[in-house]
Amino acid sequence: MILYEGPSALDGEPIVAVMTGLKKKSNNTKTGDMLQVWILRADIEPHKAWKDGSYKSVCGDCIHGGDHANDCYVLLHNAPLSVYRAYKRGIYSKANPGMVIDRAVRWGAFGDPTAIPFHVALPYLEATDKRTGYTHQWLARPWLANPWRPYIMASVDTLKEANKAEASGWRYFRVTGSYDTLQGREQVCASDSVGISCAACRKCDGASNNKPSQVIIVHGAKAKRSDYAAAR
């Protein structure tokens, strides 16, 4: 169902946020049974937006973007394209916050949650405390990301960013090339350490608790392209 359809909070271009999994459980073994929020350009197929730079309407200036490192783990020709084409066929109706009560929600199966206007997302965020979500905008657009801080994690790519995020009041999710870099109040992601799904773990739910920040080894189909070094 359509959670949001309108201007991106990042750049004002047309986007759509579609929530899937309401009737059929996700077959993603890593995340488990979570509702998936896909944030896409509303007017351009996601793989084409990736190539021409218009993906920034939903991802901002993420360093993993198509005109940066191009190493995002999401395969755009798969689920994102299917969701986009289903949206264009008009098969999705409008969502409402009551649909997420007692359900786990993954904010940003693709796209940065902060592309959705916060006032639109807030009723959904408050309808359930079972959630995961990540944003790179905590550093680039703090005025936009800060309202999301109690609910989602800062996405960080270096130890320096991790320290800055923590100093800014964020819990964070850090990708690394080696667990030798583990520091302070950090914990290895449970999907890596003990094989627990995100739906069962739910430690990536923002700064409104006292849980450790999370760390994971770089992963995904494009992991070999990444330049994460143990010292980052």
Side-chain angles (χ1 to χ4, degrees), residues 98-209:
M99 294 174 172
V100 307
I101 294 174
D102 293 328
R103 297 294 303 273
V105 182
R106 181 187 180 196
W107 288 87
F110 179 72
D112 193 297
T114 64
I116 304 169
F118 181 69
H119 73 275
V120 173
L122 184 58
Y124 294 88
L125 292 166
E126 293 192 335
T128 178
D129 61 358
K130 302 174 183 179
R131 72 180 80 84
T132 64
Y134 314 91
T135 180
H136 269 97
Q137 305 310 308
W138 67 272
L139 184 59
R141 297 177 173 89
W143 63 90
L144 184 66
N146 283 346
W148 290 80
R149 188 166 52 195
Y151 307 101
I152 63 175
M153 307 283 275
S155 183
V156 307
D157 299 286
T158 66
L159 289 170
K160 183 178 180 180
E161 285 187 359
N163 294 335
K164 187 167 185 176
E166 188 170 48
S168 300
W170 287 87
R171 290 179 60 240
Y172 59 83
F173 189 88
R174 180 168 69 87
V175 179
T176 183
S178 170
Y179 286 135
D180 291 342
T181 65
L182 214 64
Q183 64 172 7
R185 283 183 50 76
E186 290 185 338
Q187 184 180 69
V188 175
C189 172
S191 69
D192 246 20
S193 60
V194 290
I196 293 177
S197 72
C198 299
C201 175
R202 301 199 313 273
K203 288 182 180 176
C204 291
D205 59 353
S208 59
N209 58 61

Side-chain angles (χ1 to χ4, degrees), residues 29-50:
T29 55
K30 183 182 183 301
T31 63
D33 182 24
M34 302 188 78
L35 303 178
Q36 310 282 326
V37 178
W38 307 86
I39 308 160
L40 307 167
R41 279 290 295 242
D43 55 344
I44 306 170
E45 291 186 333
H47 61 293
K48 294 178 180 177
W50 193 254

Side-chain angles (χ1 to χ4, degrees), residues 38-101:
W38 307 86
I39 308 160
L40 307 167
R41 279 290 295 242
D43 55 344
I44 306 170
E45 291 186 333
H47 61 293
K48 294 178 180 177
W50 193 254
K51 291 180 179 179
D52 69 14
S54 55
Y55 74 93
K56 292 180 180 179
S57 300
V58 298
C59 295
D61 291 317
C62 175
I63 67 165
H64 305 290
D67 53 358
H68 294 296
N70 191 27
D71 60 357
C72 179
Y73 66 88
V74 180
L75 299 177
L76 295 174
H77 281 87
N78 293 345
L81 183 58
S82 296
V83 170
Y84 176 85
R85 289 180 173 173
Y87 160 67
K88 282 301 193 182
R89 291 198 302 273
I91 70 170
Y92 297 134
S93 55
K94 297 291 185 181
N96 67 76
M99 294 174 172
V100 307
I101 294 174

